[in-house]
Amino acid sequence: MKTIAIDFETANEQRGSACSVGLAWIEEGRVTRVEERLIRPRDMRFSGMNIAIHGIRPEHVEDASEFPEVMDEFEEDFRGATMIAHNAAFDFSVWRASLDLYRQSYPELTYLCSLKMAQRIWPHFLSHRLNLIAEHLGLRFVHHNAAEDAAVCAAAAIEMARAVKADAVYAIPSLIGMKPGRLTAQAYEPCTCRKG
């Protein structure tokens, strides 16, 4: 069973304006591969606020591929994988909006939200933002770099699996009352946690 952490950065307030994607593969309790790709948004409109967050400017992506070509590179990796993102509602809305923009069908996959998992597993943390979880775990990274965010999401998920004695990251949901999200060609189901 493959597990891949994913993180998107966007050029502006539109969810379909992905300008970079980071991916981190989890195998046998460790991060084995990290990739980042810049993405040229269709309309190339960058907001100052988004640039201030991630530092990506129009000139950085002018020679990059657009969303479909970038994501097609990883199509085989995604097949049958469990995906994970920190605040998955955001990252999966970016993925869906970008696919919608290019009139492409959704891939078939299951996904988890490491933010919801952290809130359930580490309720005593004052905040469950990715940078503060990284600090708690002693992980150093450049926040809002898609590859580094994905790698820290993956590392945090591995620590959460250890915390609940799960055999693997994809086994965490059944131990904490989480229903994994689903993306299918026809539909989208959010990742949810039982109350209590």
Side-chain angles (χ1 to χ4, degrees):
M1 180 76 80
K2 295 179 288 188
T3 305
I4 305 170
I6 189 165
D7 181 81
F8 288 105
E9 299 297 333
T10 56
N12 57 57
E13 73 286 350
Q14 297 293 319
R15 291 290 200 254
S17 69
C19 61
S20 76
V21 61
L23 300 159
W25 283 254
I26 302 168
E27 295 176 51
E28 297 178 7
R30 62 191 187 92
V31 177
T32 58
R33 176 183 167 198
V34 178
E35 299 280 353
E36 180 185 19
R37 297 290 182 274
L38 291 175
I39 300 169
R40 187 174 70 248
R42 179 177 264 185
D43 70 359
M44 284 295 281
R45 181 173 64 82
F46 280 70
S47 82
M49 191 169 86
N50 290 56
I51 291 170
I53 290 169
H54 51 58
I56 300 170
R57 299 177 172 278
E59 58 267 28
H60 297 144
V61 301
E62 60 191 3
D63 295 325
S65 299
E66 290 191 32
F67 190 88
E69 189 179 343
V70 169
M71 299 305 278
D72 282 353
E73 177 185 348
F74 304 106
E75 184 180 358
E76 283 301 313
D77 293 288
F78 299 146
R79 189 166 288 126
T82 297
M83 305 296 295
I84 185 166
H86 202 74
N87 190 12
F90 171 79
D91 292 287
F92 279 82
S93 70
V94 171
W95 201 341
R96 291 184 350 261
S98 298
L99 290 169
D100 292 345
L101 183 66
Y102 289 95
R103 293 182 166 78
Q104 291 196 308
S105 59
Y106 298 167
E108 303 260 345
L109 51 83
T110 300
Y111 73 91
L112 309 175
C113 178
S114 60
L115 172 61
K116 289 180 186 295
M117 286 165 38
Q119 289 167 338
R120 186 61 64 100
I121 293 167
W122 295 317
H124 56 286
F125 283 16
L126 294 178
S127 170
H128 296 91
R129 291 178 55 186
L130 191 60
N131 58 324
L132 297 175
I133 288 174
E135 192 176 300
H136 182 82
L137 298 174
L139 303 170
R140 297 177 61 138
F141 79 123
V142 178
H143 198 17
H144 297 301
N145 169 281
E148 297 215 10
D149 283 6
V152 167
C153 171
I158 290 165
E159 289 303 318
M160 286 185 249
R162 289 189 183 123
V164 296
K165 298 180 170 45
D167 292 335
V169 169
Y170 59 78
I172 294 172
S174 62
L175 300 173
I176 65 168
M178 172 180 271
K179 181 185 173 204
R182 291 275 306 140
L183 204 54
T184 70
Q186 292 79 33
Y188 162 73
E189 297 170 24
C191 179
T192 57
C193 280
R194 280 198 312 263
K195 297 277 189 260

